[in-house]
Protein backbone atom coordinates (compact mmCIF):
# COMPACT_ATOMS: atom_id res chain seq x y z
CA UNK A 1 0.00 0.00 0.00
CA UNK A 2 2.84 2.39 0.83
CA UNK A 3 4.43 1.67 -2.55
CA UNK A 4 1.21 2.38 -4.41
CA UNK A 5 0.65 5.65 -2.56
CA UNK A 6 4.20 6.75 -3.41
CA UNK A 7 3.72 6.35 -7.18
CA UNK A 8 2.22 9.86 -7.77
CA UNK A 9 5.12 11.45 -5.91
CA UNK A 10 7.62 9.42 -7.93
CA UNK A 11 5.94 10.57 -11.15
CA UNK A 12 6.22 14.22 -10.07
CA UNK A 13 9.92 13.78 -9.25
CA UNK A 14 10.50 12.14 -12.63
CA UNK A 15 8.76 15.01 -14.42
CA UNK A 16 10.87 17.53 -12.50
CA UNK A 17 14.04 15.61 -13.34
CA UNK A 18 13.09 15.53 -17.04
CA UNK A 19 12.43 19.28 -17.07
CA UNK A 20 15.79 20.02 -15.44
CA UNK A 21 17.63 17.81 -17.95
CA UNK A 22 15.86 19.54 -20.82
CA UNK A 23 16.84 22.98 -19.52
CA UNK A 24 20.45 21.86 -19.08
CA UNK A 25 20.43 20.53 -22.64
CA UNK A 26 19.22 23.88 -23.94
CA UNK A 27 21.86 25.71 -21.94
CA UNK A 28 24.60 23.43 -23.25
CA UNK A 29 23.38 23.85 -26.80
CA UNK A 30 23.26 27.63 -26.47
CA UNK A 31 26.77 27.56 -25.03
CA UNK A 32 28.27 25.39 -27.76
CA UNK A 33 26.09 26.75 -30.60
CA UNK A 34 26.30 30.52 -30.70
CA UNK A 35 25.61 32.89 -33.56
CA UNK A 36 28.63 35.14 -33.27
CA UNK A 37 27.93 37.53 -36.12
CA UNK A 38 25.29 37.98 -38.84
CA UNK A 39 24.77 40.69 -41.45
CA UNK A 40 22.01 41.33 -43.96
CA UNK A 41 24.15 42.41 -46.90
CA UNK A 42 22.68 45.31 -48.83
CA UNK A 43 19.80 45.72 -46.37
CA UNK A 44 18.75 46.74 -42.90
CA UNK A 45 18.68 44.85 -39.62
CA UNK A 46 16.46 41.78 -39.41
CA UNK A 47 15.51 38.96 -37.03
CA UNK A 48 14.79 35.70 -38.85
CA UNK A 49 12.41 32.87 -37.98
CA UNK A 50 15.18 31.12 -36.02
CA UNK A 51 15.76 34.17 -33.84
CA UNK A 52 19.07 35.09 -35.49
CA UNK A 53 19.66 38.84 -35.37
CA UNK A 54 21.20 40.32 -38.50
CA UNK A 55 22.85 43.70 -38.37
CA UNK A 56 22.40 46.27 -41.14
CA UNK A 57 25.05 46.22 -43.83
CA UNK A 58 28.06 48.27 -42.64
CA UNK A 59 30.09 47.98 -45.86
CA UNK A 60 30.63 51.24 -47.71
CA UNK A 61 32.59 49.99 -50.71
CA UNK A 62 30.48 48.66 -53.57
CA UNK A 63 26.72 48.87 -54.11
CA UNK A 64 23.73 47.82 -52.01
CA UNK A 65 20.66 46.73 -53.96
CA UNK A 66 17.11 45.66 -53.15
CA UNK A 67 16.20 44.81 -56.74
CA UNK A 68 15.43 41.28 -55.56
CA UNK A 69 12.31 42.56 -53.78
CA UNK A 70 10.61 42.36 -57.17
CA UNK A 71 10.64 38.57 -56.85
CA UNK A 72 9.53 35.87 -54.44
CA UNK A 73 12.56 33.80 -53.46
CA UNK A 74 12.00 30.05 -53.44
CA UNK A 75 12.92 27.85 -50.43
CA UNK A 76 12.53 30.80 -48.02
CA UNK A 77 9.65 31.61 -45.61
CA UNK A 78 7.83 34.88 -46.14
CA UNK A 79 9.35 36.42 -43.02
CA UNK A 80 12.91 35.93 -44.29
CA UNK A 81 12.50 36.87 -47.95
CA UNK A 82 14.39 40.10 -47.33
CA UNK A 83 17.59 38.19 -46.53
CA UNK A 84 17.75 36.94 -50.12
CA UNK A 85 16.16 39.96 -51.80
CA UNK A 86 18.79 42.51 -50.76
CA UNK A 87 22.40 42.10 -51.82
CA UNK A 88 25.79 43.77 -51.91
CA UNK A 89 27.93 43.70 -55.05
CA UNK A 90 30.90 45.52 -56.49
CA UNK A 91 32.50 45.96 -59.90
CA UNK A 92 35.73 44.77 -58.30
CA UNK A 93 36.60 42.44 -55.45
CA UNK A 94 35.42 43.30 -51.92
CA UNK A 95 35.64 41.86 -48.41
CA UNK A 96 33.76 41.62 -45.12
CA UNK A 97 35.61 41.46 -41.80
CA UNK A 98 34.01 38.77 -39.65
CA UNK A 99 34.68 38.79 -35.87
CA UNK A 100 34.98 35.56 -33.87
CA UNK A 101 35.12 34.75 -30.15
CA UNK A 102 38.07 32.57 -29.23
CA UNK A 103 39.17 29.16 -30.40
CA UNK A 104 36.73 26.49 -31.44
CA UNK A 105 34.69 25.06 -34.29
CA UNK A 106 32.73 27.46 -36.47
CA UNK A 107 30.46 27.39 -39.51
CA UNK A 108 30.53 30.26 -41.98
CA UNK A 109 27.22 30.51 -43.84
CA UNK A 110 27.05 32.52 -47.07
CA UNK A 111 23.59 33.24 -48.48
CA UNK A 112 22.89 33.90 -52.17
CA UNK A 113 20.13 34.23 -54.74
CA UNK A 114 20.29 35.13 -58.44
CA UNK A 115 17.68 37.73 -59.45
CA UNK A 116 19.25 39.19 -62.57
CA UNK A 117 20.65 36.51 -64.88
CA UNK A 118 18.48 33.75 -66.28
CA UNK A 119 21.22 31.59 -67.77
CA UNK A 120 24.25 29.83 -66.32
CA UNK A 121 27.82 31.06 -66.81
CA UNK A 122 26.76 34.72 -66.68
CA UNK A 123 27.83 35.53 -63.11
CA UNK A 124 30.77 33.51 -61.80
CA UNK A 125 33.14 34.48 -58.98
CA UNK A 126 35.42 33.06 -56.29
CA UNK A 127 35.39 33.33 -52.49
CA UNK A 128 38.44 33.19 -50.25
CA UNK A 129 38.97 33.09 -46.51
CA UNK A 130 41.38 35.66 -45.11
CA UNK A 131 42.63 36.32 -48.66
CA UNK A 132 44.35 32.93 -48.81
CA UNK A 133 42.10 29.88 -48.53
CA UNK A 134 39.80 29.33 -51.55
CA UNK A 135 36.56 28.14 -49.99
CA UNK A 136 34.37 28.45 -53.12
CA UNK A 137 35.68 28.52 -56.67
CA UNK A 138 33.69 29.40 -59.79
CA UNK A 139 30.46 29.97 -57.93
CA UNK A 140 27.59 30.16 -60.42
CA UNK A 141 24.41 30.76 -58.42
CA UNK A 142 22.02 30.21 -61.31
CA UNK A 143 23.74 26.98 -62.31
CA UNK A 144 23.41 25.75 -58.72
CA UNK A 145 19.75 26.51 -57.97
CA UNK A 146 18.23 28.54 -60.81
CA UNK A 147 16.52 31.92 -60.79
CA UNK A 148 15.19 33.61 -57.61
CA UNK A 149 16.04 30.60 -55.45
CA UNK A 150 17.92 30.63 -52.16
CA UNK A 151 21.37 29.07 -51.94
CA UNK A 152 23.28 28.62 -48.67
CA UNK A 153 26.97 27.72 -48.71
CA UNK A 154 28.11 26.36 -45.33
CA UNK A 155 31.85 26.31 -44.70
CA UNK A 156 33.04 24.45 -41.57
CA UNK A 157 36.23 25.86 -40.08
CA UNK A 158 38.29 25.64 -36.92
CA UNK A 159 40.25 28.36 -35.17
CA UNK A 160 43.06 27.41 -32.82
CA UNK A 161 46.05 29.41 -31.55
CA UNK A 162 45.82 32.06 -34.24
CA UNK A 163 45.39 29.62 -37.12
CA UNK A 164 42.26 29.01 -39.23
CA UNK A 165 41.74 25.49 -40.55
CA UNK A 166 39.33 25.28 -43.49
CA UNK A 167 39.02 23.34 -46.75
CA UNK A 168 42.05 21.23 -45.74
CA UNK A 169 44.21 24.37 -45.68
CA UNK A 170 45.45 26.79 -43.03
CA UNK A 171 45.99 30.51 -42.73
CA UNK A 172 47.22 32.65 -39.86
CA UNK A 173 44.81 35.14 -38.35
CA UNK A 174 45.75 38.24 -36.38
CA UNK A 175 43.39 39.60 -33.77
CA UNK A 176 39.80 38.46 -33.41
CA UNK A 177 38.52 38.69 -36.98
CA UNK A 178 39.13 37.27 -40.43
CA UNK A 179 38.06 38.41 -43.88
CA UNK A 180 35.67 36.82 -46.36
CA UNK A 181 36.85 37.91 -49.80
CA UNK A 182 34.70 37.96 -52.92
CA UNK A 183 36.92 37.77 -56.00
CA UNK A 184 35.82 39.13 -59.37
CA UNK A 185 36.28 37.15 -62.58
CA UNK A 186 35.64 38.10 -66.21
CA UNK A 187 31.99 37.03 -65.83
CA UNK A 188 30.18 39.92 -64.14
CA UNK A 189 30.49 41.06 -60.52
CA UNK A 190 30.72 39.17 -57.22
CA UNK A 191 27.80 39.50 -54.79
CA UNK A 192 26.51 38.33 -51.41
CA UNK A 193 23.07 38.43 -49.77
CA UNK A 194 23.84 37.60 -46.13
CA UNK A 195 26.60 36.19 -43.92
CA UNK A 196 26.40 34.27 -40.62
CA UNK A 197 29.19 32.98 -38.40
CA UNK A 198 28.05 30.28 -35.96
CA UNK A 199 30.18 28.76 -33.24
CA UNK A 200 29.40 25.06 -33.44
CA UNK A 201 29.15 22.38 -36.09
CA UNK A 202 27.21 22.00 -39.30
CA UNK A 203 24.47 20.15 -37.40
CA UNK A 204 23.80 23.31 -35.38
CA UNK A 205 23.11 25.47 -38.43
CA UNK A 206 19.53 25.83 -39.76
CA UNK A 207 19.27 24.33 -43.23
CA UNK A 208 17.21 25.35 -46.22
CA UNK A 209 14.50 22.92 -47.31
CA UNK A 210 15.50 20.65 -50.20
CA UNK A 211 15.02 21.77 -53.75
CA UNK A 212 11.60 20.92 -55.13
CA UNK A 213 11.86 18.31 -57.82
CA UNK A 214 10.18 19.62 -60.92
CA UNK A 215 8.54 16.77 -62.74
CA UNK A 216 8.83 17.10 -66.51
CA UNK A 217 5.53 17.76 -68.22
CA UNK A 218 4.86 14.80 -70.46
CA UNK A 219 2.74 15.80 -73.41
CA UNK A 220 0.40 13.05 -74.65
CA UNK A 221 1.46 11.61 -77.96
CA UNK A 222 -1.10 12.77 -80.56
CA UNK A 223 -2.77 10.07 -82.61
CA UNK A 224 -1.84 10.19 -86.31
CA UNK A 225 -4.42 11.87 -88.50
CA UNK A 226 -6.02 10.19 -91.48
CA UNK A 227 -4.03 12.46 -93.78
CA UNK A 228 -0.78 11.33 -92.08
CA UNK A 229 -1.80 7.72 -92.49
CA UNK A 230 -2.81 8.33 -96.12
CA UNK A 231 -6.13 6.61 -95.53
CA UNK A 232 -9.74 7.59 -95.03
CA UNK A 233 -11.99 5.78 -92.63
CA UNK A 234 -14.69 5.26 -95.23
CA UNK A 235 -12.18 3.84 -97.70
CA UNK A 236 -10.28 1.60 -95.31
CA UNK A 237 -11.18 -2.05 -95.49
CA UNK A 238 -11.60 -3.59 -92.08
CA UNK A 239 -9.16 -6.36 -91.32
CA UNK A 240 -10.56 -9.88 -91.65
CA UNK A 241 -13.45 -8.95 -93.94
CA UNK A 242 -13.41 -11.00 -97.20
CA UNK A 243 -13.10 -9.18 -100.48
CA UNK A 244 -16.26 -8.49 -102.49
CA UNK A 245 -16.62 -10.69 -105.59
CA UNK A 246 -15.35 -9.16 -108.86
CA UNK A 247 -18.45 -8.41 -110.96
CA UNK A 248 -16.42 -8.88 -114.17
CA UNK A 249 -14.76 -12.14 -113.20
CA UNK A 250 -17.43 -14.43 -114.71
CA UNK A 251 -18.61 -12.30 -117.68
CA UNK A 252 -18.74 -14.14 -121.07
CA UNK A 253 -17.00 -12.17 -123.88
CA UNK A 254 -17.40 -14.76 -126.73
CA UNK A 255 -20.37 -12.93 -128.23
CA UNK A 256 -18.07 -10.07 -129.26
CA UNK A 257 -15.77 -12.21 -131.44
CA UNK A 258 -18.05 -12.57 -134.52
CA UNK A 259 -18.66 -8.80 -135.07
CA UNK A 260 -14.94 -8.11 -134.79
CA UNK A 261 -14.09 -10.76 -137.40
CA UNK A 262 -16.75 -9.41 -139.80
CA UNK A 263 -15.38 -5.90 -139.50
CA UNK A 264 -11.86 -7.07 -140.27
CA UNK A 265 -13.08 -9.08 -143.29
CA UNK A 266 -14.69 -5.98 -144.80
CA UNK A 267 -11.81 -3.64 -143.94
CA UNK A 268 -8.93 -5.68 -145.43
CA UNK A 269 -10.23 -5.76 -149.08
CA UNK A 270 -10.92 -2.03 -148.87
CA UNK A 271 -7.34 -1.31 -147.91
CA UNK A 272 -6.09 -3.62 -150.71
CA UNK A 273 -8.16 -1.79 -153.33
CA UNK A 274 -6.95 1.61 -152.19
CA UNK A 275 -3.36 0.45 -152.55
CA UNK A 276 -4.03 -0.60 -156.19
CA UNK A 277 -5.27 2.82 -157.23
Amino acid sequence: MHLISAIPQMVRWFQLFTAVCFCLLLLCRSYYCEVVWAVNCGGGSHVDVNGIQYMADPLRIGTSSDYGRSFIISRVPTEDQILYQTEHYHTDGFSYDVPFVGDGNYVLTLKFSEVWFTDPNQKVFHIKLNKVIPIVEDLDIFAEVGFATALDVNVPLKISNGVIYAAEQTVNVAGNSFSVDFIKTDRDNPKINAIILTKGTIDDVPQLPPMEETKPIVQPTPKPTQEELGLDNHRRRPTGVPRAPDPYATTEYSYLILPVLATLAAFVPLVFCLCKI
Side-chain angles (χ1 to χ4, degrees):
M1 294 295 293
H2 293 288
L3 181 60
I4 295 175
S5 61
I7 289 178
Q9 186 176 2
M10 294 173 62
V11 170
R12 287 194 295 270
W13 277 107
F14 178 76
Q15 291 174 339
L16 179 61
F17 175 76
T18 303
V20 171
C21 290
F22 181 74
C23 292
L24 289 175
L25 180 62
L26 290 179
L27 288 174
C28 291
R29 180 176 177 83
S30 64
Y31 177 77
Y32 289 106
C33 174
E34 174 188 0
V35 175
V36 177
W37 188 78
V39 58
N40 179 24
C41 303
S45 59
H46 177 73
V47 179
D48 71 6
V49 294
N50 298 301
I52 299 175
Q53 297 183 358
Y54 295 77
M55 64 184 297
D57 192 353
L59 199 61
R60 293 293 176 260
I61 185 174
T63 303
S64 295
S65 171
D66 64 351
Y67 176 75
R69 298 183 71 174
S70 304
F71 307 97
I72 297 176
I73 309 300
S74 301
R75 306 176 73 191
V76 183
T78 303
E79 298 84 351
D80 292 339
Q81 288 282 310
I82 194 65
L83 293 175
Y84 297 88
Q85 291 171 331
T86 60
E87 64 181 57
H88 197 102
Y89 69 90
H90 189 32
T91 55
D92 200 352
F94 64 96
S95 302
Y96 279 87
D97 288 325
V98 179
F100 61 90
V101 287
D103 293 351
N105 293 317
Y106 291 85
V107 178
L108 178 67
T109 301
L110 308 174
K111 296 180 177 290
F112 303 94
S113 69
E114 180 55 67
V115 294
W116 184 261
F117 292 107
T118 56
D119 290 297
N121 206 36
Q122 300 299 305
K123 179 190 289 292
V124 180
F125 55 95
H126 312 309
I127 306 172
K128 289 186 177 182
L129 192 64
N130 223 36
K131 298 180 173 58
V132 174
I133 301 178
I135 53 177
V136 184
E137 294 188 1
D138 295 321
L139 177 61
D140 187 336
I141 303 168
F142 183 88
E144 292 288 336
V145 293
F147 184 77
T149 303
L151 170 66
D152 282 6
V153 177
N154 293 309
V155 182
L157 56 96
K158 180 180 179 180
I159 301 177
S160 178
N161 297 322
V163 179
I164 299 178
Y165 301 83
E168 299 182 350
Q169 298 187 42
T170 62
V171 60
N172 293 328
V173 58
N176 294 319
S177 67
F178 58 84
S179 65
V180 179
D181 313 298
F182 300 87
I183 312 300
K184 179 180 173 62
T185 69
D186 58 351
R187 286 167 286 181
D188 202 64
N189 306 313
K191 60 171 283 184
I192 179 66
N193 291 81
I195 305 174
I196 308 173
L197 182 66
T198 304
K199 192 169 188 179
T201 65
I202 196 72
D203 294 331
D204 301 317
V205 176
Q207 304 293 320
L208 290 173
M211 293 282 293
E212 294 182 2
E213 294 184 3
T214 304
K215 296 182 179 180
I217 300 176
V218 180
Q219 298 291 346
T221 304
K223 295 181 179 180
T225 62
Q226 297 302 326
E227 290 77 9
E228 292 173 337
L229 292 174
L231 296 171
D232 294 326
N233 277 337
H234 66 279
R235 299 184 61 183
R236 183 187 297 178
R237 184 174 62 85
T239 304
V241 177
R243 292 180 181 273
D246 188 351
Y248 303 102
T250 57
T251 302
E252 181 62 47
Y253 295 101
S254 58
Y255 70 93
L256 296 175
I257 296 177
L258 185 60
V260 171
L261 292 176
T263 302
L264 290 175
F267 182 72
V268 171
L270 178 61
V271 173
F272 181 77
C273 292
L274 290 174
C275 291
K276 286 282 188 177
I277 297 175

